[in-house]
Amino acid sequence: MTKPNNPPLEALLAAVSGCTACRDLPHGPRPILRVHGQARLLIIGQAPGLRVHETKIPWNDRSGARLRHWLGLAAEVFYGPQVAIIPMGLCYPGSGPRGDLPPRRQCAPLWFAPLRAQLPAIELTILVGLHAARYHLACHTPLTTLVRGTKDPRYVVLPHPSGRNNAWFARHPWFDTDCVPAVRQRIARILG
Ligand code: SF4
């Protein structure tokens, strides 16, 4: 992680990295996030998967490659100082019979607000998946409707890029033809 450039951020990241609020996590607490004080794009996903947990690199898997493709971001930009990455659950929640478990509910209420306060330059927040959309938009609107557009221009909602959603992508071809180019264009304008 890039070294924090001010003491409050450094202290906060140290507190996050020492968090043990979920002592029963099957692989133990290991918060994985990227926060740079000058970031202009914020990505809020679900929770780290096993590979991300093991490597400590957010979105370091097939879903991440697909997300970077959608956003039109090379890895060096995605992991650079202009992009902050804060999942709904900062630690790998483990897996169940239907794949990875949902993010731990206590995590976002505990850490999101203080982390977001360290990001004064964010121009656009990408909410990836239903957990992030429901929490941050405080609504129960179906995900497909939110992906078509939100009422709040500060947010873009994307489906989770997991291969488990391939059937959704096949049923909604407008996502690739309309939404992806639009979000790429917005991000290119913001990040230059
Ligand atoms: S998931 Fe969040 S609240 Fe739970 S231990 Fe990890 S950082 Fe703490």
Side-chain angles (χ1 to χ4, degrees):
M1 183 179 291
T2 299
K3 192 173 182 342
N5 58 6
N6 64 60
L9 177 55
E10 193 165 353
L12 177 60
L13 290 174
V16 170
S17 105
C19 179
T20 54
C22 312
R23 291 177 190 277
D24 59 333
L25 283 164
H27 295 257
R30 180 181 271 193
I32 297 167
L33 67 161
R34 299 273 170 133
V35 177
H36 313 278
Q38 68 272 47
R40 287 190 278 166
L41 180 70
L42 171 59
I43 298 170
I44 303 178
Q46 192 160 303
L50 182 57
R51 183 177 154 83
V52 171
H53 170 83
E54 287 170 346
T55 61
K56 285 206 86 177
I57 300 172
W59 292 104
N60 182 25
D61 51 17
R62 285 187 186 181
S63 293
R66 186 181 247 172
L67 179 64
R68 285 187 286 279
H69 170 71
W70 287 347
L71 304 181
L73 295 179
E76 59 266 29
V77 179
F78 186 85
Y79 292 115
Q82 296 194 97
V83 179
I85 301 171
I86 306 175
M88 287 296 295
L90 300 177
C91 300
Y92 174 49
S95 62
R98 297 175 60 198
D100 284 348
L101 295 171
R104 288 298 174 105
R105 281 177 182 275
Q106 58 268 61
C107 195
L110 194 57
W111 292 118
F112 183 76
L115 289 167
R116 183 63 181 83
Q118 299 288 334
L119 297 168
I122 295 298
E123 294 181 38
L124 181 64
T125 298
I126 309 283
L127 301 172
V128 185
L130 197 58
H131 291 285
R134 290 239 162 112
Y135 183 85
H136 288 282
L137 299 177
C139 69
H140 283 83
T141 308
L143 185 75
T144 302
T145 307
L146 294 172
V147 171
R148 282 190 185 275
T150 64
K151 288 180 187 152
D152 188 334
R154 296 172 300 170
Y155 296 97
V156 163
V157 175
L158 297 178
H160 196 282
S162 162
R164 289 169 65 192
N165 286 333
N166 283 347
W168 187 95
F169 302 129
R171 282 199 312 275
H172 302 95
W174 49 264
F175 174 70
D176 263 331
T177 56
D178 302 346
C179 294
V180 168
V183 74
R184 272 191 200 156
Q185 219 169 36
R186 270 193 85 180
I187 289 173
R189 274 201 303 271
I190 290 167
L191 300 189

